[in-house]
Amino acid sequence: MERIVDLTHEIDASMPIYPGDPSVEIKSWNTHEKNGCQISKILMGSHTGTHVDAPWHFNPQGASLDNLSLSRFVGRGTLIDVSNKGVNEKIDTKDIDTYQTHINSGEFVIFRTGWDCYYREKMYFKHPSLTETAAKMLVDMGVTLIGIDTLSVDSTMDKTFFVHSILMNAGILIVENLCNLKEIPSIHGMYSFLPLKIKKGDGSPVRAIFFESPVD
């Protein structure tokens, strides 16, 4: 039997959002008492919580979610431990070097900073982030998706989007706000980040999971 690890933050009205993004509202529309069934009205941005960025998010010529094959969101990944990083510290090429033999072209790379422990604190906005040189290195390695357990692959404190632009222009997907990466038992494994099928979608919340077969 496969082991499954849920890597997804719960969506609720008090969750942290990227500065300037729409806040989350969840309200009852129908209720059991009045209507015989429960229906909720949900208002949130396309990059709320654990979510995937389509290339169109930063690249006007990039693919939107509805133009991407489902195979782009499910695949084998390498988990890179950078949990030694501090406030606004950078994840650079040297952090990737020791994992190079594990990373194959066409696969995913997932960064574990451990910053998900600050998810509902102000510290969450002071997370580590990738350098431009690290992003370019991953592009050259043929990686197809980058995941991270922080609010952004770029620095939220610096308010820059250089890494987003590098990855999006190369057609690489980005998954942000992951959690529970410490529960993943191996460097390698299978990941699923399936989005909602949104027409011209620039991004979507996902139910992110890791799963490991008995024989890997």
Side-chain angles (χ1 to χ4, degrees):
M1 185 175 180
E2 294 177 342
R3 176 178 178 180
I4 298 176
V5 181
D6 190 355
L7 310 177
T8 318
H9 284 290
E10 193 173 71
I11 295 175
D12 62 57
S14 63
M15 67 193 299
I17 57 171
Y18 192 87
D21 278 12
S23 58
V24 178
E25 296 180 26
I26 304 175
K27 297 181 178 179
S28 291
W29 188 258
N30 285 358
T31 66
H32 294 118
E33 294 76 16
K34 291 183 179 180
N35 311 99
C37 65
Q38 183 69 35
I39 297 177
S40 299
K41 177 182 178 181
I42 302 173
L43 176 65
M44 62 184 181
S46 53
H47 298 264
T48 296
T50 307
H51 69 275
V52 62
D53 294 351
W56 192 52
H57 182 35
F58 272 86
N59 181 357
Q61 283 75 48
S64 55
L65 291 176
D66 52 320
N67 289 317
L68 292 167
S69 167
L70 286 179
S71 63
R72 291 294 311 276
F73 305 99
V74 181
R76 186 173 171 84
T78 299
L79 182 66
I80 296 182
D81 187 348
V82 286
S83 56
N84 61 323
K85 299 295 179 180
V87 170
N88 206 34
E89 196 170 348
K90 298 300 181 182
I91 301 165
D92 206 352
T93 54
K94 66 180 182 298
D95 299 302
I96 303 170
D97 281 340
T98 55
Y99 292 86
Q100 279 209 58
T101 56
H102 298 284
I103 301 170
N104 298 310
S105 179
E107 295 185 351
F108 304 167
V109 167
I110 312 298
F111 291 97
R112 182 175 82 85
T113 69
W115 225 253
D116 55 322
C117 70
Y118 301 116
Y119 187 62
R120 295 187 183 275
E121 303 175 21
K122 291 182 179 179
M123 182 67 79
Y124 193 63
F125 295 85
K126 302 177 181 180
H127 57 83
S129 59
L130 274 68
T131 63
E132 294 173 64
T133 52
K136 291 174 183 176
M137 180 181 186
L138 293 165
V139 170
D140 291 340
M141 294 174 74
V143 172
T144 59
L145 182 149
I146 306 297
I148 196 166
D149 55 355
T150 64
L151 193 61
S152 174
V153 290
D154 281 289
S155 169
T156 301
M157 291 179 68
D158 296 344
K159 300 178 181 179
T160 59
F161 299 104
F162 299 124
V163 173
H164 272 87
S165 294
I166 291 168
L167 299 178
M168 301 276 94
N169 288 339
I172 296 175
L173 304 178
I174 301 172
V175 177
E176 294 161 326
N177 290 314
L178 291 169
C179 64
N180 299 328
L181 293 177
K182 66 181 181 298
E183 302 298 330
I184 293 179
S186 57
I187 291 177
H188 291 127
M190 293 296 294
Y191 292 83
S192 174
F193 306 112
L194 291 172
L196 298 174
K197 193 173 183 179
I198 303 171
K199 187 174 180 63
K200 295 298 291 180
D202 51 80
S204 168
V206 300
R207 187 62 180 261
I209 62 170
F210 166 91
F211 51 102
E212 181 185 47
S213 299
V215 179
D216 190 12

